[in-house]
Amino acid sequence: MADLTPEQMRRMHDFAEQLAELAEHQEDQWKVQTTDGQISLTMMTPTAPHGLNVGRLRRQIEAQTPEIMALNDTTMGDPITGMTKVPDLMVIAEEDTDDTAKAVNSRDVLMVVEVVSRTNSLTGVRDELHDYPKMGVPLYVVVDPRKDKKAVTVHSDPSDGPDGIQYRKKVPYAFGDTVTAGQWTLDTNSLKSYPADWR
């Protein structure tokens, strides 16, 4: 897709903000995100295993680094690319948070953790792998609780190359492994996979 002009980026960003404000007043929860000149609107329907996995990871991260905040379902925006995301979990130093901003600056985020949902797996991960390094996120952890996966993958070392800005390192783990993600060590023994009869 062609690069957007600054004016087009501004207009898309403004429209995404208007959608997000409308979504806040709806009975159901919605995520408003942008990527490559497109706006996506997704209904949030987290399951119990999804929420438990996010909560358990959040507690581990904050216990290891008390000066850090792990925020879930919070809007993150990039002032350079204009992209916005609502990750399951983003990790940021408390001193870098701005409680007057509509979105967290993605350039201040230390790590993003996404727990793959049972309904929107491949598309979301593909978009995030493409977008997060461009947004300046140094670490991207993907937790996949689907019954045939039960895996955690740590993506790191974003840098520019012939194929653009990409994560250059990928380390796979299985549920039960001890995961190293930057300065954090994550115990995955408490992570729950989706029930076998879920499709």
Side-chain angles (χ1 to χ4, degrees):
M1 183 169 286
D3 290 336
L4 297 178
T5 66
E7 175 61 18
Q8 289 171 322
M9 276 179 42
R10 186 193 63 71
R11 289 172 61 193
M12 185 182 76
H13 177 73
D14 290 349
F15 183 61
E17 275 197 353
Q18 290 172 3
L19 277 177
E21 286 175 16
L22 284 172
E24 284 179 15
H25 296 91
Q26 301 306 306
E27 187 173 323
D28 297 316
Q29 289 185 304
W30 294 84
K31 278 187 183 183
V32 178
Q33 304 186 109
T34 59
T35 180
D36 277 346
Q38 298 177 353
I39 298 173
S40 69
L41 188 62
T42 310
M43 185 185 293
M44 295 168 60
T45 54
T47 59
H50 183 280
L52 289 169
N53 285 336
V54 170
R56 287 170 179 154
L57 291 166
R58 178 181 184 170
R59 282 201 307 261
Q60 289 186 54
I61 291 164
E62 291 183 337
Q64 291 173 45
T65 46
E67 73 282 5
I68 294 296
M69 298 189 74
L71 307 174
N72 57 296
D73 297 327
T74 301
T75 302
M76 174 179 76
D78 180 20
I80 296 174
T81 64
M83 289 190 282
T84 56
K85 301 289 179 188
V86 184
D88 288 329
L89 202 59
M90 76 173 88
V91 179
I92 185 170
E94 188 163 6
E95 66 182 14
D96 290 332
T97 59
D98 177 0
D99 58 10
T100 65
K102 288 185 178 179
V104 171
N105 185 330
S106 65
R107 304 282 160 172
D108 294 329
V109 171
L110 304 171
M111 177 171 67
V112 163
V113 180
E114 293 281 7
V115 177
V116 174
S117 71
R118 63 189 181 93
T119 56
N120 185 20
S121 51
L122 297 177
T123 303
V125 171
R126 185 181 63 240
D127 288 347
E128 290 150 3
L129 268 175
H130 177 265
D131 295 344
Y132 284 152
K134 292 179 178 161
M135 295 174 74
V137 177
L139 274 171
Y140 172 41
V141 178
V142 179
V143 177
D144 192 342
R146 291 175 297 168
K147 60 185 179 183
D148 56 336
K149 301 292 184 189
K150 299 181 189 173
V152 178
T153 308
V154 178
H155 301 273
S156 62
D157 299 347
S159 61
D160 206 354
D163 53 352
I165 300 173
Q166 303 274 339
Y167 290 116
R168 302 298 170 184
K169 187 174 180 184
K170 173 182 172 181
V171 181
Y173 297 89
F175 275 26
D177 291 346
T178 298
V179 172
T180 300
Q183 62 184 301
W184 296 279
T185 301
L186 305 176
D187 178 2
T188 65
N189 278 308
S190 64
L191 296 183
K192 298 299 179 190
S193 61
Y194 295 139
D197 60 343
W198 284 12
R199 303 205 183 280

